[in-house]
Amino acid sequence: MRKKIVAGNWKMNNDLKATQLLIENLKGLTLASDVSVMVAPTFVNLTAALDTAATTPIEVIAQNMHFADSGAYTGEISADMLTAVGIKTVILGHSERRSYFGETDAILEKKTKQAIDKGLQVMFCFGEELADRKSGNHFNVVEHQLKNALFSLPETAWSQIILAYEPVWAIGTGETASAEQAQEMHHFIRKTIAAAFSESIAQEVSILYGGSVKPANAVEIFSKPDVDGGLIGGAALVATDFAAIVNAFN
Ligand code: PEP
Protein backbone atom coordinates (compact mmCIF):
# COMPACT_ATOMS: atom_id res chain seq x y z
CA MET A 1 0.00 0.00 0.00
CA ARG A 2 1.21 3.49 -0.86
CA LYS A 3 2.34 5.08 2.39
CA LYS A 4 2.96 8.58 3.62
CA ILE A 5 6.59 8.73 4.65
CA VAL A 6 8.85 11.42 6.09
CA ALA A 7 12.49 10.44 6.47
CA GLY A 8 15.32 12.45 7.98
CA ASN A 9 18.74 11.98 6.41
CA TRP A 10 21.15 13.12 9.10
CA LYS A 11 24.20 12.67 6.85
CA MET A 12 27.55 13.06 8.72
CA ASN A 13 25.98 14.98 11.61
CA ASN A 14 25.30 14.13 15.26
CA ASP A 15 27.69 12.23 17.52
CA LEU A 16 26.38 9.60 19.93
CA LYS A 17 24.93 12.03 22.46
CA ALA A 18 23.37 14.26 19.81
CA THR A 19 21.84 11.19 18.14
CA GLN A 20 20.20 10.05 21.36
CA LEU A 21 19.08 13.58 22.24
CA LEU A 22 17.47 14.23 18.85
CA ILE A 23 15.49 10.99 19.06
CA GLU A 24 14.52 11.74 22.68
CA ASN A 25 13.32 15.18 21.57
CA LEU A 26 11.26 13.63 18.76
CA LYS A 27 9.71 11.22 21.26
CA GLY A 28 8.42 14.21 23.19
CA LEU A 29 6.61 15.64 20.16
CA THR A 30 3.37 14.63 18.49
CA LEU A 31 3.99 12.84 15.18
CA ALA A 32 1.04 12.08 12.88
CA SER A 33 0.21 8.41 13.38
CA ASP A 34 -0.61 7.80 9.70
CA VAL A 35 2.89 8.85 8.58
CA SER A 36 5.87 6.46 8.61
CA VAL A 37 8.64 8.40 10.30
CA MET A 38 12.24 7.40 9.61
CA VAL A 39 15.59 8.77 10.74
CA ALA A 40 18.96 7.90 9.22
CA PRO A 41 21.86 8.45 11.62
CA THR A 42 25.44 7.62 10.69
CA PHE A 43 26.47 3.91 10.83
CA VAL A 44 28.36 4.14 14.11
CA ASN A 45 25.26 5.40 15.92
CA LEU A 46 22.68 3.01 14.43
CA THR A 47 22.59 0.67 17.42
CA ALA A 48 22.23 3.46 19.95
CA ALA A 49 19.55 5.06 17.78
CA LEU A 50 17.66 1.75 17.54
CA ASP A 51 17.78 1.43 21.33
CA THR A 52 16.60 5.01 21.86
CA ALA A 53 13.78 4.66 19.33
CA ALA A 54 12.68 1.21 20.56
CA THR A 55 8.98 1.07 21.47
CA THR A 56 8.30 4.18 19.36
CA PRO A 57 6.98 4.23 15.78
CA ILE A 58 10.20 5.95 14.63
CA GLU A 59 12.14 3.68 12.26
CA VAL A 60 15.91 3.95 12.25
CA ILE A 61 17.32 3.45 8.76
CA ALA A 62 20.80 3.38 7.19
CA GLN A 63 22.30 5.94 4.81
CA ASN A 64 24.16 3.53 2.55
CA MET A 65 25.56 -0.01 2.16
CA HIS A 66 27.94 -1.97 -0.08
CA PHE A 67 26.79 -4.37 -2.78
CA ALA A 68 29.04 -7.29 -1.78
CA ASP A 69 28.20 -9.92 0.83
CA SER A 70 31.52 -9.40 2.63
CA GLY A 71 35.23 -9.13 1.87
CA ALA A 72 38.09 -6.72 1.35
CA TYR A 73 36.17 -3.45 1.15
CA THR A 74 37.78 -1.32 3.84
CA GLY A 75 35.39 1.11 5.45
CA GLU A 76 32.26 -0.43 3.96
CA ILE A 77 29.14 -1.98 5.52
CA SER A 78 27.22 -4.96 4.15
CA ALA A 79 23.49 -5.61 4.00
CA ASP A 80 23.85 -8.50 6.46
CA MET A 81 25.60 -6.21 8.94
CA LEU A 82 22.67 -3.83 8.75
CA THR A 83 19.99 -6.47 9.14
CA ALA A 84 21.93 -8.12 12.01
CA VAL A 85 21.57 -4.98 14.14
CA GLY A 86 17.90 -4.56 13.24
CA ILE A 87 17.93 -2.19 10.26
CA LYS A 88 15.11 -2.79 7.78
CA THR A 89 15.53 0.12 5.33
CA VAL A 90 18.53 1.62 3.56
CA ILE A 91 18.92 4.82 1.55
CA LEU A 92 20.72 4.23 -1.76
CA GLY A 93 21.77 6.61 -4.51
CA HIS A 94 21.78 9.87 -2.58
CA SER A 95 23.21 12.63 -4.78
CA GLU A 96 26.12 13.10 -2.36
CA ARG A 97 27.04 9.42 -2.80
CA ARG A 98 26.78 9.86 -6.56
CA SER A 99 28.82 13.06 -6.76
CA TYR A 100 31.44 12.69 -3.97
CA PHE A 101 31.87 8.92 -3.97
CA GLY A 102 31.47 8.12 -7.64
CA GLU A 103 28.37 5.96 -7.35
CA THR A 104 27.11 5.28 -10.85
CA ASP A 105 23.78 3.88 -11.98
CA ALA A 106 25.53 0.52 -12.51
CA ILE A 107 26.83 0.46 -8.92
CA LEU A 108 23.40 1.48 -7.65
CA GLU A 109 21.78 -1.31 -9.62
CA LYS A 110 24.06 -3.81 -7.85
CA LYS A 111 23.44 -2.23 -4.44
CA THR A 112 19.69 -2.21 -4.94
CA LYS A 113 19.62 -5.86 -6.03
CA GLN A 114 21.71 -6.86 -3.03
CA ALA A 115 19.53 -4.93 -0.59
CA ILE A 116 16.35 -6.43 -2.06
CA ASP A 117 17.81 -9.96 -1.99
CA LYS A 118 18.77 -9.45 1.64
CA GLY A 119 15.22 -8.41 2.54
CA LEU A 120 15.89 -4.72 3.04
CA GLN A 121 13.56 -1.96 1.93
CA VAL A 122 15.37 0.52 -0.35
CA MET A 123 14.82 4.25 -0.39
CA PHE A 124 16.20 4.95 -3.85
CA CYS A 125 17.27 8.55 -4.50
CA PHE A 126 17.68 10.17 -7.89
CA GLY A 127 17.22 13.55 -9.53
CA GLU A 128 18.59 15.90 -12.13
CA GLU A 129 21.30 18.55 -11.82
CA LEU A 130 20.67 22.24 -12.41
CA ALA A 131 22.14 22.11 -15.92
CA ASP A 132 19.72 19.31 -16.85
CA ARG A 133 16.77 21.32 -15.61
CA LYS A 134 17.95 24.47 -17.40
CA SER A 135 18.39 22.63 -20.68
CA GLY A 136 14.99 20.97 -20.32
CA ASN A 137 16.61 17.53 -20.08
CA HIS A 138 15.35 16.72 -16.58
CA PHE A 139 12.70 14.16 -17.55
CA ASN A 140 15.17 12.32 -19.71
CA VAL A 141 17.83 12.23 -16.96
CA VAL A 142 15.37 10.96 -14.36
CA GLU A 143 14.00 8.32 -16.72
CA HIS A 144 17.52 7.03 -17.36
CA GLN A 145 18.46 6.98 -13.69
CA LEU A 146 15.38 4.84 -12.97
CA LYS A 147 15.85 2.64 -15.99
CA ASN A 148 19.56 2.00 -15.43
CA ALA A 149 19.32 1.12 -11.75
CA LEU A 150 15.84 -0.30 -11.24
CA PHE A 151 14.31 -1.65 -14.42
CA SER A 152 16.16 -4.97 -14.30
CA LEU A 153 14.49 -5.76 -10.97
CA PRO A 154 11.68 -8.32 -10.88
CA GLU A 155 8.17 -6.93 -10.36
CA THR A 156 8.11 -8.47 -6.89
CA ALA A 157 10.97 -6.18 -5.77
CA TRP A 158 8.76 -3.11 -5.97
CA SER A 159 7.06 -3.88 -2.68
CA GLN A 160 10.49 -3.17 -1.11
CA ILE A 161 11.10 0.13 -2.90
CA ILE A 162 10.46 3.72 -1.91
CA LEU A 163 11.48 6.38 -4.43
CA ALA A 164 12.93 9.74 -3.41
CA TYR A 165 13.05 12.32 -6.18
CA GLU A 166 15.65 14.89 -5.17
CA PRO A 167 16.60 17.51 -7.74
CA VAL A 168 20.29 18.09 -6.99
CA TRP A 169 19.90 21.86 -7.37
CA ALA A 170 17.47 21.89 -4.45
CA ILE A 171 19.50 19.82 -1.96
CA GLY A 172 20.94 21.89 0.87
CA THR A 173 20.68 25.03 -1.24
CA GLY A 174 17.54 26.57 0.23
CA GLU A 175 16.16 26.42 -3.33
CA THR A 176 13.06 24.22 -3.46
CA ALA A 177 11.29 22.86 -6.48
CA SER A 178 7.85 24.42 -6.55
CA ALA A 179 5.03 22.14 -5.50
CA GLU A 180 3.97 22.14 -9.18
CA GLN A 181 7.45 21.11 -10.36
CA ALA A 182 7.50 18.31 -7.78
CA GLN A 183 4.03 17.11 -8.81
CA GLU A 184 4.92 17.25 -12.51
CA MET A 185 8.02 15.10 -11.99
CA HIS A 186 6.33 12.66 -9.60
CA HIS A 187 3.53 12.16 -12.12
CA PHE A 188 6.13 11.53 -14.83
CA ILE A 189 7.90 9.00 -12.58
CA ARG A 190 4.64 7.11 -12.00
CA LYS A 191 3.92 7.09 -15.74
CA THR A 192 7.43 5.80 -16.45
CA ILE A 193 7.05 2.97 -13.93
CA ALA A 194 3.59 2.11 -15.23
CA ALA A 195 4.98 1.79 -18.76
CA ALA A 196 7.93 -0.38 -17.68
CA PHE A 197 6.12 -2.51 -15.08
CA SER A 198 2.42 -2.01 -14.40
CA GLU A 199 -0.11 0.62 -13.42
CA SER A 200 -0.65 -1.08 -10.07
CA ILE A 201 3.07 -1.00 -9.23
CA ALA A 202 3.19 2.67 -10.23
CA GLN A 203 0.20 3.48 -8.06
CA GLU A 204 1.51 1.54 -5.06
CA VAL A 205 5.05 2.90 -4.87
CA SER A 206 5.59 5.80 -2.47
CA ILE A 207 7.42 8.71 -4.10
CA LEU A 208 9.05 11.21 -1.73
CA TYR A 209 10.27 14.66 -2.63
CA GLY A 210 13.59 15.90 -1.24
CA GLY A 211 15.33 19.24 -1.53
CA SER A 212 15.16 22.03 1.05
CA VAL A 213 11.83 20.91 2.50
CA LYS A 214 11.04 23.03 5.56
CA PRO A 215 7.97 23.45 7.78
CA ALA A 216 7.09 26.51 5.68
CA ASN A 217 6.85 24.71 2.33
CA ALA A 218 6.01 21.13 3.35
CA VAL A 219 2.22 21.60 3.50
CA GLU A 220 2.04 22.77 -0.10
CA ILE A 221 4.44 20.16 -1.46
CA PHE A 222 2.74 17.30 0.43
CA SER A 223 -0.69 18.42 -0.78
CA LYS A 224 0.15 17.28 -4.32
CA PRO A 225 -1.47 13.99 -5.33
CA ASP A 226 1.68 12.20 -6.46
CA VAL A 227 3.86 13.38 -3.56
CA ASP A 228 3.78 10.84 -0.73
CA GLY A 229 6.13 12.61 1.65
CA GLY A 230 9.67 13.85 1.91
CA LEU A 231 13.31 13.02 2.41
CA ILE A 232 14.59 15.77 4.65
CA GLY A 233 18.20 16.87 5.21
CA GLY A 234 18.90 20.07 7.15
CA ALA A 235 15.46 20.45 8.71
CA ALA A 236 15.63 16.89 10.06
CA LEU A 237 18.36 17.96 12.48
CA VAL A 238 15.94 20.15 14.44
CA ALA A 239 13.30 18.07 16.24
CA THR A 240 10.53 20.67 16.13
CA ASP A 241 11.08 21.37 12.41
CA PHE A 242 11.14 17.68 11.56
CA ALA A 243 7.98 17.05 13.57
CA ALA A 244 6.25 19.97 11.84
CA ILE A 245 7.15 18.42 8.46
CA VAL A 246 5.84 14.99 9.58
CA ASN A 247 2.59 16.75 10.54
CA ALA A 248 2.35 18.73 7.29
CA PHE A 249 -0.06 16.41 5.45
CA ASN A 250 -3.61 17.72 5.10
C1 PEP B 1 18.88 15.52 1.30
O1 PEP B 1 20.08 15.58 1.51
O2 PEP B 1 18.37 14.44 1.00
C2 PEP B 1 18.11 16.74 1.41
C3 PEP B 1 16.92 16.76 0.87
O3 PEP B 1 18.70 17.80 2.05
P1 PEP B 1 18.02 19.23 2.38
O4 PEP B 1 16.67 18.95 2.94
O5 PEP B 1 18.95 19.84 3.38
O6 PEP B 1 17.97 19.97 1.08
Side-chain angles (χ1 to χ4, degrees):
M1 233 262 292
R2 195 154 139 195
K3 285 189 199 148
K4 295 178 194 166
I5 301 167
V6 174
N9 175 14
W10 293 1
K11 312 189 185 188
M12 198 173 72
N13 294 297
N14 291 336
D15 63 9
L16 174 59
K17 272 202 178 135
T19 296
Q20 290 165 322
L21 182 64
L22 183 44
I23 295 174
E24 287 297 350
N25 288 339
L26 288 173
K27 281 160 74 169
L29 297 168
T30 303
L31 302 173
S33 59
D34 61 340
V35 178
S36 297
V37 179
M38 303 178 179
V39 296
T42 189
F43 287 131
V44 74
N45 292 323
L46 285 177
T47 303
L50 284 159
D51 287 346
T52 314
T55 75
T56 78
I58 300 169
E59 183 185 347
V60 175
I61 71 174
Q63 295 179 17
N64 182 31
M65 53 157 256
H66 197 267
F67 54 75
D69 280 345
S70 62
Y73 298 101
T74 301
E76 292 290 334
I77 303 278
S78 72
D80 286 341
M81 290 168 186
L82 294 178
T83 56
V85 296
I87 294 296
K88 296 188 168 58
T89 303
V90 62
I91 298 172
L92 294 177
H94 191 276
S95 68
E96 288 148 20
R97 298 295 318 170
R98 292 175 189 260
S99 64
Y100 303 145
F101 302 99
E103 294 196 4
T104 60
D105 289 347
I107 291 172
L108 292 169
E109 182 183 37
K110 287 208 246 180
K111 287 190 174 202
T112 305
K113 281 195 171 139
Q114 174 74 344
I116 300 287
D117 287 350
K118 295 291 184 177
L120 284 159
Q121 175 167 248
V122 173
M123 185 176 292
F124 183 82
C125 306
F126 56 98
E128 81 283 0
E129 311 228 356
L130 185 58
D132 304 318
R133 168 101 12 203
K134 281 193 167 157
S135 63
N137 205 27
H138 43 297
F139 293 116
N140 195 26
V141 167
V142 161
E143 185 176 357
H144 277 88
Q145 287 173 327
L146 292 173
K147 194 171 173 182
N148 295 342
L150 302 183
F151 282 11
S152 61
L153 293 171
E155 287 197 358
T156 51
W158 282 87
S159 61
Q160 287 166 253
I161 290 185
I162 299 162
L163 297 176
Y165 166 63
E166 299 203 299
V168 179
W169 48 272
I171 296 178
T173 58
E175 181 99 18
T176 323
S178 66
E180 288 68 31
Q181 284 172 320
Q183 168 57 27
E184 183 185 38
M185 183 58 88
H186 284 218
H187 181 69
F188 171 78
I189 292 162
R190 256 185 241 289
K191 257 189 11 201
T192 304
I193 293 164
F197 290 90
S198 69
E199 187 59 35
S200 71
I201 286 175
Q203 287 306 323
E204 289 293 297
V205 69
S206 294
I207 310 179
L208 314 186
Y209 168 78
S212 298
V213 176
K214 307 274 181 260
N217 57 28
V219 173
E220 199 190 350
I221 294 170
F222 293 177
S223 71
K224 296 297 176 189
D226 286 301
V227 177
D228 302 308
L231 178 54
I232 319 300
L237 299 174
V238 179
T240 48
D241 285 355
F242 187 62
I245 295 169
V246 169
N247 297 330
F249 293 89
N250 288 320

